[in-house]
């Protein structure tokens, strides 16, 4: 919900409206940290769907939302996040 809120905020700044049909599917994984023996890390994959919006515009919106989302800012550099527009 936080990321969708960030997308709405970015869209409003761009003088556009986010369609109501937005959905995000997230997968969270935990596994060995690449460079610290015995340490573990979290990885998140988010598939974002915005029906009715052009793919390029959606990708720009998702990238901008990732920069302003409070959760994205709190986890940046600590959690591997992969964002995909579907």
């Amino acid at each position: 919900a936080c990321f969708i809120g960030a997308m709405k905020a970015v869209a409003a700044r761009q003088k556009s409206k986010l369609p109501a049909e937005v959905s995000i599917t997230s997968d969270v994984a935990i596994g060995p940290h690449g460079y610290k023996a015995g340490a573990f890390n979290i990885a998140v994959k988010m598939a974002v769907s915005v029906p009715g919006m052009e793919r390029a515009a959606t990708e720009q919106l998702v990238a901008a939302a990732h920069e302003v989302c409070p959760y994205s800012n709190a986890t940046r550099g600590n959690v591997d996040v992969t964002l995909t527009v579907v």
Side-chain angles (χ1 to χ4, degrees):
C2 178
F3 197 81
I4 291 175
M7 290 173 61
K8 287 179 182 179
V10 170
R13 278 193 234 151
Q14 297 174 350
K15 307 284 190 235
S16 64
K17 187 175 179 184
L18 195 64
E21 298 81 23
V22 174
S23 66
I24 299 175
T25 302
S26 300
D27 291 313
V28 179
I30 188 167
H33 200 284
Y35 56 88
K36 287 185 179 177
F40 289 87
N41 197 18
I42 295 173
V44 177
K45 292 182 180 181
M46 295 172 58
V48 182
S49 175
V50 185
M53 184 178 273
E54 291 184 16
R55 184 178 190 88
T58 303
E59 288 172 345
Q60 289 176 350
L61 180 66
V62 166
H66 188 47
E67 292 301 313
V68 299
C69 175
Y71 284 109
S72 293
N73 288 327
T75 61
R76 187 168 285 113
N78 296 311
V79 174
D80 295 328
V81 178
T82 303
L83 299 166
T84 306
V85 172
V86 294

